[in-house]
Amino acid sequence: PHAAIFAAAQKAKKVLAVELSTGEMVEDVDHAVRGTREVWFYGKTGGNVPPPEEVTLEALAVARGEGRKRPLVRLISVPLGSARGGRG
């Protein structure tokens, strides 16, 4: 649903990805947004669904730039053999 996520993100200043995991989907959200918005992550594990009030508080914190999870940092991967000392 990249197109739907992109379209929805264009109506917002920031995007909060809420997951029942440690961040498997936030990269997909970031990819769908295509760098046009800041993507924040909030996740729970162990099958603990956060109550709506908790998600609302996190969304308000993100809006203020104070979310518990910092904005997603894009990591750059370098294929083996192309970095210093790599195998070629």
Side-chain angles (χ1 to χ4, degrees):
H2 283 149
I5 293 170
F6 179 81
Q10 300 316 297
K11 300 174 187 174
K13 293 180 181 178
K14 298 177 183 180
V15 175
L16 175 61
V18 179
E19 299 182 36
L20 294 178
S21 67
T22 57
E24 286 82 3
M25 294 301 297
V26 70
E27 290 180 14
D28 290 327
V29 172
D30 188 55
H31 184 275
V33 171
R34 298 184 222 151
T36 62
R37 300 293 183 267
E38 219 176 62
V39 177
W40 291 64
F41 168 72
Y42 183 72
K44 289 279 192 172
T45 59
N48 299 315
V49 178
E53 299 81 13
E54 187 175 317
V55 175
T56 299
L57 289 174
E58 185 65 17
L60 292 171
V62 166
R64 293 189 306 270
E66 302 170 355
R68 284 188 272 161
K69 306 287 185 183
R70 301 311 313 155
L72 179 69
V73 176
R74 289 175 182 83
L75 300 176
I76 300 172
S77 61
V78 179
L80 284 176
S82 62
R84 285 175 283 151
R87 292 178 237 160

